[in-house]
Amino acid sequence: MRVGVDVGKARIGLAMSDPHGMLATPVETVPRDGNGVTDVARIIAVVQNLGAMEVIVGLPLALSGNHTASTQDAVGFAEVLALAVPVPVRLVDERLSTVAAQGVLRTAGRKAKTQRPVIDQVAATIILQHALDTERGLGHPPGSAVVPAVPATPPSPAAPIEGS
């Protein structure tokens, strides 16, 4: 089982695969927390509840393949997740996943106004399904593993806090 993540500025879409890694389905939309606390905590809970073995985070590149502000945001979020979840995190190219999600919802008869609550879930599903299909076709996982940057040496739990 894998969890797909579509990182947005206001919301984060989550999707999951079946145990065989064949089919991705939407899970939920998590409100984005500017402090990275409640959103990350919710993703940790989903990963643990599903027994996921990996987290796939969409990497939003420009059509040219260049990085954008959204790219840096997704990479930063993936690094935070990699430090927080007990499973590997991988970044996978997600160009046009939101556009594809809008098309899917439009085809299903959803008006733009009613898409907001689910569009991030659908985008996460598209990202995860693309990763699953690509892995089956290539014989190895697509994208790149996120190697979390080791934070500056944190104070020892037993160390007194300054000013105490």
Side-chain angles (χ1 to χ4, degrees):
M1 177 107 34
R2 296 181 186 161
V3 171
V5 179
D6 177 51
V7 180
K9 293 197 181 302
R11 293 170 304 281
I12 300 166
L14 300 180
M16 63 181 244
S17 73
D18 66 311
H20 304 291
M22 300 295 286
L23 184 63
T25 56
V27 173
E28 69 180 84
T29 301
V30 177
R32 183 83 186 258
D33 174 7
N35 296 323
V37 176
T38 58
D39 51 6
V40 172
R42 180 62 194 144
I43 295 169
I44 292 168
V46 169
V47 166
Q48 291 175 336
N49 289 340
L50 294 173
M53 62 180 239
E54 182 178 47
V55 175
I56 306 292
V57 178
L59 181 64
L61 299 170
L63 289 178
S64 64
N66 291 327
H67 285 215
T68 66
S70 293
T71 307
Q72 299 309 325
D73 185 42
V75 169
F77 192 83
E79 289 173 346
V80 169
L81 274 181
L83 284 169
V85 296
V87 297
V89 175
R90 195 160 25 106
L91 284 162
V92 176
D93 185 352
E94 68 145 297
R95 280 178 268 194
L96 299 177
S97 65
T98 301
V99 173
Q102 290 168 335
V104 166
L105 291 171
R106 198 174 319 109
T107 301
R110 297 284 297 249
K111 293 184 175 145
K113 196 174 192 176
T114 64
Q115 290 179 5
R116 183 170 289 151
V118 295
I119 193 154
D120 301 292
Q121 291 175 43
V122 175
T125 302
I126 290 169
I127 291 163
L128 181 55
Q129 189 65 56
H130 172 70
L132 296 171
D133 294 344
T134 301
E135 183 170 341
R136 273 194 310 280
L138 295 176
H140 61 81
S144 58
V146 177
V147 179
V150 177
T153 307
S156 163
I161 298 173
E162 287 184 40
S164 297

